[in-house]
Amino acid sequence: MDEYLTINKIDELVSVIKSLTNYHPKIGMILGSGLGSLAEEIEDPDLIPFEKLPGWPISTIEGHVGRLVIGKLENRQVVAMQGRAHYYEGYSMTQIGLPVRALQRFGVDTIVITNAAGAVNSDFNPGDLMLLTDHLNLIGMTGNNPLRGPNLKEYGPRFPDMSQVYDRELMKIAREVAVENNITLQEGVYVCLAGPSFETPADLRFLHAVGVDAVGMSTVPEATVARHGGLRVMGISGISNKANLDGETVTTHEEVLEAGQVLVPKLTTLIRNVIKRLG
Ligand code: HPA
């Protein structure tokens, strides 16, 4: 049986974070594959390696540094997760949700969740950003929801509404910022698959048929947990590759990391300007 989170365990972890920083950020960020260098923009940072945080899931994957970066961006206090753990690494969905639970108890009320994703929508190109307007919780729908287990009523109800996971006001701000800064901002539905294998052409035709625009291996568990807790959530995919619907191209983790180098400057501009507007 899975080990589920308790408020006591979460608070023990949060007390360690509080003992290592004097910042009190309300804005959190999760930086996905190849996107972690955005954290280098954070000024006067306190750096907390995930190893210091009891129970924190640690990523074993190249492109994920594995620490909290807490400091200032656009004169606002922020906390960024430079790297995240994934379900395919062997963690339970409960463990994947722990960082979001902890950041919320630490004081975060708004979270920007990013990922690298493959484009299922043929209008999208590597290097594009995609604003998540919704997600398909395929793993959760088929039994493995991060909210499975005793409900943490301090965060939210047993049966939380998911009609609007991604905050409309944040989406509006992101669209305006993108226009002002000449950034192409695609929009669409993201699906999280278990991974670690990339999709077969048949998988991708299935995802296309059910309305998916971008595919990856993260974000949905964290967004589900964040929404249960009542956080304001913004989701952004960095499109790293075209999904291989025709079976003619090969997808690699190297290309995902390479695309990150093109994506980070755009993502940085977008996130900086969204934060500026949060007031
Ligand atoms: N599929 C799944 N996950 C991904 C992809 C992909 O094509 N690209 C980046 N993450």
Side-chain angles (χ1 to χ4, degrees):
M1 168 153 157
D2 280 349
E3 201 183 321
Y4 297 112
L5 303 177
T6 62
I7 288 290
N8 282 349
K9 271 198 214 163
I10 296 164
D11 281 347
E12 263 172 47
L13 166 52
V14 172
S15 68
V16 177
I17 300 177
K18 285 182 176 166
S19 73
L20 295 170
T21 185
N22 290 320
Y23 288 113
H24 302 282
K26 289 195 182 318
I27 302 167
M29 293 186 261
I30 303 178
L31 303 176
S33 297
L35 306 175
S37 58
L38 197 155
E40 317 294 344
E41 305 273 325
I42 296 173
E43 293 153 34
D44 298 324
D46 289 331
L47 305 173
I48 307 178
F50 292 159
E51 285 86 358
K52 289 201 174 171
L53 303 172
W56 197 282
I58 294 169
S59 178
T60 54
I61 307 304
E62 195 191 334
H64 292 263
V65 176
R67 62 187 182 185
L68 288 180
V69 181
I70 313 176
K72 289 198 159 184
L73 195 62
E74 295 299 333
N75 233 6
R76 298 290 307 271
Q77 295 188 24
V78 299
V79 47
M81 280 170 59
Q82 198 174 22
R84 65 140 70 79
H86 306 80
Y87 182 67
Y88 60 74
E89 294 176 70
Y91 293 108
S92 68
M93 285 298 185
T94 302
Q95 287 172 297
I96 302 289
L98 172 64
V100 174
R101 293 304 198 198
L103 292 185
Q104 183 170 0
R105 290 291 267 195
F106 179 46
V108 163
D109 63 19
T110 301
I111 191 158
V112 179
I113 309 180
T114 70
N115 59 62
V120 177
N121 185 324
S122 58
D123 294 340
F124 297 177
N125 289 301
D128 284 351
L129 296 177
M130 184 191 92
L131 186 65
L132 275 67
T133 53
D134 201 354
H135 67 221
L136 182 67
N137 188 0
L138 195 61
I139 308 175
M141 273 160 47
T142 52
N144 208 340
N145 192 298
L147 302 177
R148 184 169 176 274
N151 184 46
L152 294 175
K153 59 181 185 317
E154 293 82 353
Y155 285 93
R158 172 76 291 187
F159 301 108
D161 177 67
M162 290 285 149
S163 60
Q164 192 69 57
V165 176
Y166 301 95
D167 186 82
R168 288 206 175 111
E169 183 61 28
L170 291 178
M171 282 194 230
K172 183 167 167 269
I173 295 172
R175 289 182 187 116
E176 288 168 6
V177 163
V179 170
E180 282 164 17
N181 291 278
N182 273 323
I183 294 170
T184 304
L185 186 62
Q186 309 284 10
E187 297 192 11
V189 174
Y190 173 90
V191 69
C192 170
L193 301 185
S197 46
F198 287 117
E199 302 71 41
T200 65
D203 291 333
L204 290 163
R205 287 193 297 272
F206 164 77
L207 296 175
H208 187 258
V210 296
V212 166
D213 295 294
V215 55
M217 304 173 191
S218 69
T219 301
V220 171
E222 294 112 319
T224 303
V225 168
R227 196 62 212 121
H228 174 252
L231 297 183
R232 286 199 298 174
V233 184
M234 181 165 114
I236 305 174
S237 290
I239 301 296
S240 55
N241 55 289
K242 284 216 179 225
N244 177 20
L245 267 89
D246 57 8
E248 297 305 319
T249 45
V250 172
T251 304
T252 66
H253 187 57
E254 285 67 37
E255 105 187 274
V256 173
L257 295 183
E258 265 172 44
Q261 294 172 13
V262 181
L263 287 161
V264 165
K266 295 185 199 182
L267 189 64
T268 305
T269 304
L270 188 79
I271 290 181
R272 271 186 180 280
N273 285 285
V274 169
I275 288 175
K276 240 194 236 176
R277 298 262 198 113
L278 288 180

